[in-house]
mmCIF file of all heavy atoms in Angstrom:
data_model
loop_
_atom_site.group_PDB
_atom_site.id
_atom_site.type_symbol
_atom_site.label_atom_id
_atom_site.label_comp_id
_atom_site.label_asym_id
_atom_site.label_seq_id
_atom_site.Cartn_x
_atom_site.Cartn_y
_atom_site.Cartn_z
ATOM 1 N N SER E 27 67.640 166.768 157.627
ATOM 2 C CA SER E 27 67.095 166.249 156.365
ATOM 3 C C SER E 27 66.939 164.730 156.451
ATOM 4 O O SER E 27 67.383 164.134 157.397
ATOM 5 C CB SER E 27 68.023 166.572 155.225
ATOM 6 O OG SER E 27 69.274 165.847 155.385
ATOM 7 N N GLN E 28 66.206 164.207 155.473
ATOM 8 C CA GLN E 28 66.039 162.723 155.387
ATOM 9 C C GLN E 28 67.381 162.068 155.350
ATOM 10 O O GLN E 28 67.587 161.017 155.999
ATOM 11 C CB GLN E 28 65.210 162.362 154.204
ATOM 12 C CG GLN E 28 64.843 160.869 154.164
ATOM 13 C CD GLN E 28 63.859 160.485 155.203
ATOM 14 O OE1 GLN E 28 62.714 160.830 155.146
ATOM 15 N NE2 GLN E 28 64.288 159.665 156.179
ATOM 16 N N GLU E 29 68.323 162.615 154.616
ATOM 17 C CA GLU E 29 69.665 162.010 154.469
ATOM 18 C C GLU E 29 70.392 161.992 155.819
ATOM 19 O O GLU E 29 71.050 161.025 156.193
ATOM 20 C CB GLU E 29 70.475 162.771 153.430
ATOM 21 C CG GLU E 29 70.002 162.576 151.984
ATOM 22 C CD GLU E 29 68.703 163.369 151.717
ATOM 23 O OE1 GLU E 29 68.370 164.333 152.470
ATOM 24 O OE2 GLU E 29 67.980 163.015 150.763
ATOM 25 N N GLN E 30 70.256 163.082 156.566
ATOM 26 C CA GLN E 30 70.950 163.180 157.882
ATOM 27 C C GLN E 30 70.338 162.151 158.852
ATOM 28 O O GLN E 30 71.045 161.521 159.623
ATOM 29 C CB GLN E 30 70.849 164.570 158.428
ATOM 30 C CG GLN E 30 71.716 165.580 157.678
ATOM 31 C CD GLN E 30 71.463 167.015 158.195
ATOM 32 O OE1 GLN E 30 70.365 167.516 158.120
ATOM 33 N NE2 GLN E 30 72.474 167.640 158.736
ATOM 34 N N VAL E 31 69.003 162.067 158.853
ATOM 35 C CA VAL E 31 68.347 161.134 159.720
ATOM 36 C C VAL E 31 68.746 159.684 159.417
ATOM 37 O O VAL E 31 69.104 158.903 160.267
ATOM 38 C CB VAL E 31 66.790 161.266 159.615
ATOM 39 C CG1 VAL E 31 66.095 160.095 160.323
ATOM 40 C CG2 VAL E 31 66.313 162.565 160.214
ATOM 41 N N ASP E 32 68.778 159.372 158.108
ATOM 42 C CA ASP E 32 69.101 158.030 157.709
ATOM 43 C C ASP E 32 70.532 157.696 157.986
ATOM 44 O O ASP E 32 70.901 156.546 158.280
ATOM 45 C CB ASP E 32 68.796 157.872 156.229
ATOM 46 C CG ASP E 32 67.298 157.774 155.936
ATOM 47 O OD1 ASP E 32 66.545 157.609 156.890
ATOM 48 O OD2 ASP E 32 66.911 157.897 154.763
ATOM 49 N N GLU E 33 71.369 158.698 157.965
ATOM 50 C CA GLU E 33 72.800 158.475 158.363
ATOM 51 C C GLU E 33 72.892 158.031 159.774
ATOM 52 O O GLU E 33 73.677 157.128 160.153
ATOM 53 C CB GLU E 33 73.654 159.718 158.141
ATOM 54 C CG GLU E 33 75.093 159.557 158.457
ATOM 55 C CD GLU E 33 75.920 160.832 158.269
ATOM 56 O OE1 GLU E 33 75.541 161.868 158.853
ATOM 57 O OE2 GLU E 33 76.925 160.817 157.490
ATOM 58 N N LEU E 34 72.108 158.659 160.670
ATOM 59 C CA LEU E 34 72.152 158.302 162.081
ATOM 60 C C LEU E 34 71.597 156.872 162.320
ATOM 61 O O LEU E 34 72.189 156.107 163.083
ATOM 62 C CB LEU E 34 71.326 159.303 162.901
ATOM 63 C CG LEU E 34 71.877 160.700 163.092
ATOM 64 C CD1 LEU E 34 71.014 161.509 164.053
ATOM 65 C CD2 LEU E 34 73.299 160.661 163.554
ATOM 66 N N VAL E 35 70.484 156.542 161.714
ATOM 67 C CA VAL E 35 69.957 155.211 161.962
ATOM 68 C C VAL E 35 70.851 154.125 161.358
ATOM 69 O O VAL E 35 70.983 153.012 161.901
ATOM 70 C CB VAL E 35 68.499 155.074 161.475
ATOM 71 C CG1 VAL E 35 67.592 155.995 162.234
ATOM 72 C CG2 VAL E 35 68.361 155.261 159.984
ATOM 73 N N THR E 36 71.507 154.461 160.253
ATOM 74 C CA THR E 36 72.439 153.534 159.654
ATOM 75 C C THR E 36 73.627 153.314 160.604
ATOM 76 O O THR E 36 74.072 152.133 160.799
ATOM 77 C CB THR E 36 73.006 154.064 158.318
ATOM 78 O OG1 THR E 36 71.885 154.230 157.389
ATOM 79 C CG2 THR E 36 74.024 153.136 157.693
ATOM 80 N N ALA E 37 74.102 154.367 161.203
ATOM 81 C CA ALA E 37 75.196 154.298 162.159
ATOM 82 C C ALA E 37 74.827 153.407 163.384
ATOM 83 O O ALA E 37 75.637 152.603 163.839
ATOM 84 C CB ALA E 37 75.673 155.672 162.560
ATOM 85 N N ILE E 38 73.620 153.649 163.910
ATOM 86 C CA ILE E 38 73.178 152.899 165.065
ATOM 87 C C ILE E 38 73.082 151.407 164.731
ATOM 88 O O ILE E 38 73.485 150.552 165.485
ATOM 89 C CB ILE E 38 71.819 153.405 165.577
ATOM 90 C CG1 ILE E 38 72.034 154.807 166.179
ATOM 91 C CG2 ILE E 38 71.237 152.452 166.633
ATOM 92 C CD1 ILE E 38 70.727 155.509 166.556
ATOM 93 N N ALA E 39 72.502 151.115 163.536
ATOM 94 C CA ALA E 39 72.411 149.689 163.101
ATOM 95 C C ALA E 39 73.738 149.049 162.948
ATOM 96 O O ALA E 39 73.942 147.909 163.329
ATOM 97 C CB ALA E 39 71.570 149.620 161.830
ATOM 98 N N PHE E 40 74.655 149.775 162.354
ATOM 99 C CA PHE E 40 76.021 149.241 162.150
ATOM 100 C C PHE E 40 76.764 149.069 163.447
ATOM 101 O O PHE E 40 77.252 147.918 163.751
ATOM 102 C CB PHE E 40 76.796 150.139 161.200
ATOM 103 C CG PHE E 40 78.169 149.677 160.947
ATOM 104 C CD1 PHE E 40 78.388 148.697 159.967
ATOM 105 C CD2 PHE E 40 79.271 150.167 161.592
ATOM 106 C CE1 PHE E 40 79.667 148.236 159.682
ATOM 107 C CE2 PHE E 40 80.580 149.743 161.331
ATOM 108 C CZ PHE E 40 80.743 148.727 160.382
ATOM 109 N N TYR E 41 76.903 150.090 164.207
ATOM 110 C CA TYR E 41 77.679 150.000 165.444
ATOM 111 C C TYR E 41 76.927 149.132 166.514
ATOM 112 O O TYR E 41 77.588 148.526 167.382
ATOM 113 C CB TYR E 41 77.962 151.360 166.049
ATOM 114 C CG TYR E 41 79.101 152.047 165.291
ATOM 115 C CD1 TYR E 41 78.854 153.002 164.309
ATOM 116 C CD2 TYR E 41 80.427 151.739 165.582
ATOM 117 C CE1 TYR E 41 79.925 153.618 163.629
ATOM 118 C CE2 TYR E 41 81.481 152.315 164.902
ATOM 119 C CZ TYR E 41 81.204 153.279 163.922
ATOM 120 O OH TYR E 41 82.249 153.858 163.225
ATOM 121 N N GLY E 42 75.621 149.073 166.400
ATOM 122 C CA GLY E 42 74.879 148.235 167.342
ATOM 123 C C GLY E 42 74.983 146.763 167.096
ATOM 124 O O GLY E 42 74.580 145.934 167.916
ATOM 125 N N THR E 43 75.600 146.374 165.957
ATOM 126 C CA THR E 43 75.782 144.998 165.645
ATOM 127 C C THR E 43 77.263 144.617 165.485
ATOM 128 O O THR E 43 77.604 143.598 164.850
ATOM 129 C CB THR E 43 75.034 144.603 164.352
ATOM 130 O OG1 THR E 43 75.372 145.498 163.292
ATOM 131 C CG2 THR E 43 73.508 144.635 164.585
ATOM 132 N N ARG E 44 78.127 145.397 166.046
ATOM 133 C CA ARG E 44 79.561 145.004 166.098
ATOM 134 C C ARG E 44 79.725 143.856 167.056
ATOM 135 O O ARG E 44 79.182 143.848 168.144
ATOM 136 C CB ARG E 44 80.454 146.143 166.482
ATOM 137 C CG ARG E 44 80.496 147.338 165.481
ATOM 138 C CD ARG E 44 80.772 146.945 164.091
ATOM 139 N NE ARG E 44 79.547 146.578 163.373
ATOM 140 C CZ ARG E 44 79.462 145.835 162.269
ATOM 141 N NH1 ARG E 44 80.575 145.299 161.789
ATOM 142 N NH2 ARG E 44 78.347 145.581 161.713
ATOM 143 N N PRO E 45 80.489 142.838 166.649
ATOM 144 C CA PRO E 45 80.610 141.601 167.460
ATOM 145 C C PRO E 45 81.038 141.833 168.858
ATOM 146 O O PRO E 45 80.458 141.228 169.839
ATOM 147 C CB PRO E 45 81.650 140.748 166.689
ATOM 148 C CG PRO E 45 81.448 141.184 165.269
ATOM 149 C CD PRO E 45 81.138 142.654 165.349
ATOM 150 N N ASP E 46 82.052 142.651 169.132
ATOM 151 C CA ASP E 46 82.494 142.891 170.486
ATOM 152 C C ASP E 46 81.443 143.576 171.323
ATOM 153 O O ASP E 46 81.268 143.256 172.508
ATOM 154 C CB ASP E 46 83.781 143.774 170.485
ATOM 155 C CG ASP E 46 84.999 143.070 169.900
ATOM 156 O OD1 ASP E 46 84.914 141.840 169.762
ATOM 157 O OD2 ASP E 46 86.000 143.722 169.647
ATOM 158 N N PHE E 47 80.705 144.477 170.772
ATOM 159 C CA PHE E 47 79.626 145.178 171.468
ATOM 160 C C PHE E 47 78.496 144.217 171.819
ATOM 161 O O PHE E 47 78.018 144.130 172.949
ATOM 162 C CB PHE E 47 79.101 146.349 170.649
ATOM 163 C CG PHE E 47 77.828 146.930 171.182
ATOM 164 C CD1 PHE E 47 77.843 147.708 172.377
ATOM 165 C CD2 PHE E 47 76.617 146.761 170.545
ATOM 166 C CE1 PHE E 47 76.677 148.247 172.865
ATOM 167 C CE2 PHE E 47 75.431 147.285 171.050
ATOM 168 C CZ PHE E 47 75.458 148.002 172.232
ATOM 169 N N MET E 48 78.057 143.427 170.867
ATOM 170 C CA MET E 48 76.960 142.501 171.080
ATOM 171 C C MET E 48 77.337 141.511 172.185
ATOM 172 O O MET E 48 76.488 141.204 173.039
ATOM 173 C CB MET E 48 76.608 141.775 169.779
ATOM 174 C CG MET E 48 75.944 142.622 168.740
ATOM 175 S SD MET E 48 75.208 141.651 167.392
ATOM 176 C CE MET E 48 76.654 140.895 166.655
ATOM 177 N N ARG E 49 78.559 140.998 172.142
ATOM 178 C CA ARG E 49 78.955 140.029 173.198
ATOM 179 C C ARG E 49 78.991 140.708 174.512
ATOM 180 O O ARG E 49 78.550 140.105 175.562
ATOM 181 C CB ARG E 49 80.291 139.389 172.836
ATOM 182 C CG ARG E 49 80.734 138.358 173.881
ATOM 183 C CD ARG E 49 81.830 137.430 173.326
ATOM 184 N NE ARG E 49 81.279 136.630 172.232
ATOM 185 C CZ ARG E 49 80.592 135.477 172.455
ATOM 186 N NH1 ARG E 49 80.311 135.083 173.692
ATOM 187 N NH2 ARG E 49 80.199 134.785 171.435
ATOM 188 N N ALA E 50 79.523 141.899 174.601
ATOM 189 C CA ALA E 50 79.591 142.612 175.886
ATOM 190 C C ALA E 50 78.176 142.855 176.437
ATOM 191 O O ALA E 50 77.967 142.655 177.652
ATOM 192 C CB ALA E 50 80.357 143.927 175.706
ATOM 193 N N VAL E 51 77.260 143.239 175.574
ATOM 194 C CA VAL E 51 75.903 143.526 176.040
ATOM 195 C C VAL E 51 75.274 142.207 176.493
ATOM 196 O O VAL E 51 74.634 142.164 177.561
ATOM 197 C CB VAL E 51 75.069 144.143 174.930
ATOM 198 C CG1 VAL E 51 73.615 144.269 175.348
ATOM 199 C CG2 VAL E 51 75.618 145.525 174.583
ATOM 200 N N ALA E 52 75.396 141.153 175.723
ATOM 201 C CA ALA E 52 74.788 139.885 176.086
ATOM 202 C C ALA E 52 75.321 139.358 177.377
ATOM 203 O O ALA E 52 74.576 138.884 178.248
ATOM 204 C CB ALA E 52 75.032 138.867 174.940
ATOM 205 N N GLU E 53 76.636 139.426 177.565
ATOM 206 C CA GLU E 53 77.195 138.919 178.801
ATOM 207 C C GLU E 53 76.750 139.743 180.022
ATOM 208 O O GLU E 53 76.424 139.204 181.076
ATOM 209 C CB GLU E 53 78.730 138.902 178.683
ATOM 210 C CG GLU E 53 79.249 137.837 177.714
ATOM 211 C CD GLU E 53 80.771 137.864 177.529
ATOM 212 O OE1 GLU E 53 81.388 138.857 178.010
ATOM 213 O OE2 GLU E 53 81.303 136.902 176.938
ATOM 214 N N GLN E 54 76.756 141.068 179.823
ATOM 215 C CA GLN E 54 76.336 141.904 180.967
ATOM 216 C C GLN E 54 74.809 141.693 181.249
ATOM 217 O O GLN E 54 74.455 141.731 182.448
ATOM 218 C CB GLN E 54 76.549 143.374 180.592
ATOM 219 C CG GLN E 54 78.005 143.833 180.625
ATOM 220 C CD GLN E 54 78.164 145.323 180.478
ATOM 221 O OE1 GLN E 54 77.431 146.093 181.051
ATOM 222 N NE2 GLN E 54 79.150 145.726 179.698
ATOM 223 N N THR E 55 74.019 141.498 180.277
ATOM 224 C CA THR E 55 72.588 141.317 180.509
ATOM 225 C C THR E 55 72.354 140.035 181.274
ATOM 226 O O THR E 55 71.597 140.020 182.290
ATOM 227 C CB THR E 55 71.834 141.229 179.168
ATOM 228 O OG1 THR E 55 72.075 142.404 178.397
ATOM 229 C CG2 THR E 55 70.351 141.057 179.375
ATOM 230 N N VAL E 56 72.989 138.934 180.887
ATOM 231 C CA VAL E 56 72.835 137.694 181.630
ATOM 232 C C VAL E 56 73.336 137.769 183.014
ATOM 233 O O VAL E 56 72.714 137.293 184.008
ATOM 234 C CB VAL E 56 73.501 136.538 180.864
ATOM 235 C CG1 VAL E 56 73.517 135.248 181.721
ATOM 236 C CG2 VAL E 56 72.833 136.273 179.520
ATOM 237 N N ALA E 57 74.463 138.466 183.171
ATOM 238 C CA ALA E 57 75.049 138.643 184.536
ATOM 239 C C ALA E 57 74.196 139.461 185.407
ATOM 240 O O ALA E 57 74.012 139.136 186.586
ATOM 241 C CB ALA E 57 76.441 139.233 184.378
ATOM 242 N N GLU E 58 73.650 140.548 184.910
ATOM 243 C CA GLU E 58 72.876 141.455 185.755
ATOM 244 C C GLU E 58 71.475 140.951 185.988
ATOM 245 O O GLU E 58 70.960 140.998 187.128
ATOM 246 C CB GLU E 58 72.800 142.839 185.075
ATOM 247 C CG GLU E 58 72.102 143.896 185.981
ATOM 248 C CD GLU E 58 72.083 145.286 185.374
ATOM 249 O OE1 GLU E 58 72.522 145.439 184.216
ATOM 250 O OE2 GLU E 58 71.549 146.162 186.061
ATOM 251 N N THR E 59 70.777 140.447 184.905
ATOM 252 C CA THR E 59 69.391 140.036 185.114
ATOM 253 C C THR E 59 69.263 138.582 185.579
ATOM 254 O O THR E 59 68.236 138.207 186.155
ATOM 255 C CB THR E 59 68.648 140.113 183.775
ATOM 256 O OG1 THR E 59 69.194 139.157 182.834
ATOM 257 C CG2 THR E 59 68.747 141.504 183.165
ATOM 258 N N GLY E 60 70.313 137.802 185.348
ATOM 259 C CA GLY E 60 70.200 136.364 185.670
ATOM 260 C C GLY E 60 69.286 135.589 184.769
ATOM 261 O O GLY E 60 68.856 134.485 185.127
ATOM 262 N N MET E 61 69.021 136.125 183.624
ATOM 263 C CA MET E 61 68.061 135.513 182.680
ATOM 264 C C MET E 61 68.674 135.341 181.289
ATOM 265 O O MET E 61 69.566 136.109 180.845
ATOM 266 C CB MET E 61 66.853 136.391 182.463
ATOM 267 C CG MET E 61 66.010 136.570 183.711
ATOM 268 S SD MET E 61 64.555 137.572 183.398
ATOM 269 C CE MET E 61 63.773 137.580 184.987
ATOM 270 N N GLY E 62 68.247 134.276 180.565
ATOM 271 C CA GLY E 62 68.618 134.084 179.177
ATOM 272 C C GLY E 62 69.926 133.433 178.995
ATOM 273 O O GLY E 62 70.576 132.900 179.892
ATOM 274 N N ASP E 63 70.356 133.420 177.696
ATOM 275 C CA ASP E 63 71.542 132.780 177.247
ATOM 276 C C ASP E 63 72.395 133.703 176.385
ATOM 277 O O ASP E 63 71.860 134.408 175.513
ATOM 278 C CB ASP E 63 71.160 131.543 176.392
ATOM 279 C CG ASP E 63 72.327 130.829 175.818
ATOM 280 O OD1 ASP E 63 72.953 130.019 176.501
ATOM 281 O OD2 ASP E 63 72.659 131.109 174.598
ATOM 282 N N VAL E 64 73.677 133.786 176.687
ATOM 283 C CA VAL E 64 74.552 134.745 175.985
ATOM 284 C C VAL E 64 74.516 134.645 174.466
ATOM 285 O O VAL E 64 74.305 135.576 173.776
ATOM 286 C CB VAL E 64 75.999 134.624 176.535
ATOM 287 C CG1 VAL E 64 76.950 135.498 175.656
ATOM 288 C CG2 VAL E 64 76.092 135.078 177.987
ATOM 289 N N GLU E 65 74.730 133.411 174.000
ATOM 290 C CA GLU E 65 74.805 133.227 172.522
ATOM 291 C C GLU E 65 73.486 133.574 171.843
ATOM 292 O O GLU E 65 73.451 134.159 170.746
ATOM 293 C CB GLU E 65 75.248 131.778 172.169
ATOM 294 C CG GLU E 65 76.633 131.458 172.713
ATOM 295 C CD GLU E 65 77.696 132.385 172.197
ATOM 296 O OE1 GLU E 65 77.628 132.775 171.012
ATOM 297 O OE2 GLU E 65 78.610 132.657 172.984
ATOM 298 N N ASP E 66 72.399 133.196 172.519
ATOM 299 C CA ASP E 66 71.051 133.520 171.942
ATOM 300 C C ASP E 66 70.816 134.994 171.978
ATOM 301 O O ASP E 66 70.204 135.544 171.037
ATOM 302 C CB ASP E 66 69.963 132.786 172.727
ATOM 303 C CG ASP E 66 69.888 131.278 172.415
ATOM 304 O OD1 ASP E 66 70.585 130.854 171.461
ATOM 305 O OD2 ASP E 66 69.230 130.563 173.136
ATOM 306 N N LYS E 67 71.254 135.685 173.008
ATOM 307 C CA LYS E 67 71.104 137.146 173.072
ATOM 308 C C LYS E 67 71.881 137.828 171.988
ATOM 309 O O LYS E 67 71.427 138.844 171.407
ATOM 310 C CB LYS E 67 71.441 137.660 174.439
ATOM 311 C CG LYS E 67 70.403 137.288 175.513
ATOM 312 C CD LYS E 67 70.662 138.043 176.796
ATOM 313 C CE LYS E 67 69.630 137.660 177.846
ATOM 314 N NZ LYS E 67 68.229 138.021 177.467
ATOM 315 N N ILE E 68 73.068 137.337 171.686
ATOM 316 C CA ILE E 68 73.853 137.901 170.577
ATOM 317 C C ILE E 68 73.093 137.772 169.254
ATOM 318 O O ILE E 68 72.969 138.743 168.473
ATOM 319 C CB ILE E 68 75.244 137.207 170.481
ATOM 320 C CG1 ILE E 68 76.114 137.589 171.681
ATOM 321 C CG2 ILE E 68 75.947 137.602 169.185
ATOM 322 C CD1 ILE E 68 77.379 136.758 171.782
ATOM 323 N N ALA E 69 72.509 136.571 169.050
ATOM 324 C CA ALA E 69 71.708 136.360 167.829
ATOM 325 C C ALA E 69 70.497 137.281 167.822
ATOM 326 O O ALA E 69 70.140 137.801 166.758
ATOM 327 C CB ALA E 69 71.271 134.911 167.767
ATOM 328 N N LYS E 70 69.883 137.457 168.951
ATOM 329 C CA LYS E 70 68.705 138.316 169.028
ATOM 330 C C LYS E 70 69.052 139.783 168.711
ATOM 331 O O LYS E 70 68.319 140.461 167.985
ATOM 332 C CB LYS E 70 68.057 138.217 170.426
ATOM 333 C CG LYS E 70 66.694 138.931 170.481
ATOM 334 C CD LYS E 70 66.227 139.110 171.910
ATOM 335 C CE LYS E 70 65.991 137.786 172.607
ATOM 336 N NZ LYS E 70 65.397 137.989 173.959
ATOM 337 N N ILE E 71 70.129 140.252 169.277
ATOM 338 C CA ILE E 71 70.568 141.657 169.037
ATOM 339 C C ILE E 71 70.780 141.836 167.551
ATOM 340 O O ILE E 71 70.299 142.833 166.951
ATOM 341 C CB ILE E 71 71.852 141.961 169.819
ATOM 342 C CG1 ILE E 71 71.595 141.971 171.317
ATOM 343 C CG2 ILE E 71 72.359 143.370 169.382
ATOM 344 C CD1 ILE E 71 72.857 142.047 172.143
ATOM 345 N N TRP E 72 71.504 140.889 166.905
ATOM 346 C CA TRP E 72 71.745 141.077 165.467
ATOM 347 C C TRP E 72 70.481 140.982 164.650
ATOM 348 O O TRP E 72 70.242 141.864 163.796
ATOM 349 C CB TRP E 72 72.778 139.975 165.013
ATOM 350 C CG TRP E 72 73.280 140.303 163.641
ATOM 351 C CD1 TRP E 72 74.452 141.018 163.360
ATOM 352 C CD2 TRP E 72 72.706 139.962 162.382
ATOM 353 N NE1 TRP E 72 74.604 141.091 161.968
ATOM 354 C CE2 TRP E 72 73.568 140.452 161.338
ATOM 355 C CE3 TRP E 72 71.565 139.224 161.990
ATOM 356 C CZ2 TRP E 72 73.307 140.272 160.032
ATOM 357 C CZ3 TRP E 72 71.307 139.075 160.607
ATOM 358 C CH2 TRP E 72 72.166 139.568 159.662
#
Side-chain angles (χ1 to χ4, degrees):
S27 67
Q28 186 70 69
E29 291 73 21
Q30 289 174 300
V31 169
D32 287 345
E33 182 182 55
L34 288 187
V35 296
T36 299
I38 292 172
F40 179 81
Y41 282 99
T43 51
R44 294 309 87 201
D46 289 349
F47 169 71
M48 290 192 296
R49 181 161 294 279
V51 173
E53 290 177 349
Q54 287 189 42
T55 302
V56 172
E58 185 177 4
T59 67
M61 296 181 180
D63 175 83
V64 170
E65 298 304 322
D66 286 348
K67 287 190 180 297
I68 291 172
K70 189 192 297 185
I71 295 169
W72 193 92

